[in-house]
Amino acid sequence: TVAPTPSPHGQSLPTPPLPVRTAGRPLVSPQELIDWYRSAGDPAATAEMAAMLHEMVPGLLPLNVQSDACANCRTPTGLPFIGEVVYTDTATGTSLRGMYVATGGNGLAAKSSDEIGRIAACASLSSDGWDGLEKHPLLVRERFAPRLCA
């Protein structure tokens, strides 16, 4: 994990869970992630996917093949972090509330995005931040609680 990032307003903002993984390697620093997203991705992965496409659709003659960089965040639990992040100002003891996160799809968020969004909406819009979800043991808030290192 990475320490929270100071914001221009003096509050700490959550840093997405690191390391982030591309198809082949972890990106362990914010600069590595920035550099990766500014690249066109991995040319070998592009060639491999183009070959698979040509195998599935013989005779395909695309006018152009383009690729781009992508990555996914992994969490220690393998579950996304969904819920309210409460910051406490150590100098004043004041708690800052009202910011919610849904991050760390672990490479599965595209297929699960509707349900992750529903859980995030329930967590952020309900009276206690999690109403109605805890009826099933797999959906208890502790399983998805955002975790920041100090």
Side-chain angles (χ1 to χ4, degrees), residues 104-132:
N106 298 290
L108 305 171
K111 74 174 185 72
S112 308
S113 61
D114 287 349
E115 186 61 14
I116 291 169
R118 186 187 72 77
I119 292 171
C122 287
S124 64
L125 297 175
S126 65
S127 62
D128 79 344
W130 209 255
D131 281 350

Side-chain angles (χ1 to χ4, degrees), residues 8-45:
H9 308 292
Q11 301 154 338
S12 291
L13 300 176
T15 302
L18 290 175
V20 173
R21 273 194 92 63
T22 65
R25 65 186 174 95
L27 304 172
V28 296
S29 73
Q31 189 58 52
E32 286 182 22
L33 185 61
I34 291 167
D35 292 344
W36 173 250
Y37 273 116
R38 288 181 177 162
S39 77
D42 182 355

Side-chain angles (χ1 to χ4, degrees), residues 66-111:
Q66 291 183 315
S67 69
D68 207 345
C70 67
N72 61 67
C73 296
R74 302 212 181 255
T75 63
T77 63
L79 295 170
F81 289 160
I82 301 172
E84 185 176 22
V85 178
V86 179
Y87 297 101
T88 302
D89 185 325
T90 55
T92 66
T94 305
S95 290
L96 304 171
R97 302 186 70 98
M99 185 169 87
Y100 291 80
V101 297
T103 188
N106 298 290
L108 305 171
K111 74 174 185 72

Side-chain angles (χ1 to χ4, degrees), residues 39-64:
S39 77
D42 182 355
T46 302
E48 180 182 351
M49 287 184 266
M52 286 191 298
L53 178 62
H54 286 292
E55 196 174 302
M56 290 187 293
V57 186
L60 178 69
L61 300 171
L63 298 176
N64 190 16

Side-chain angles (χ1 to χ4, degrees), residues 127-141:
S127 62
D128 79 344
W130 209 255
D131 281 350
L133 292 174
E134 295 194 68
K135 294 179 179 137
H136 193 285
L138 294 178
L139 293 176
V140 294
R141 83 177 72 209

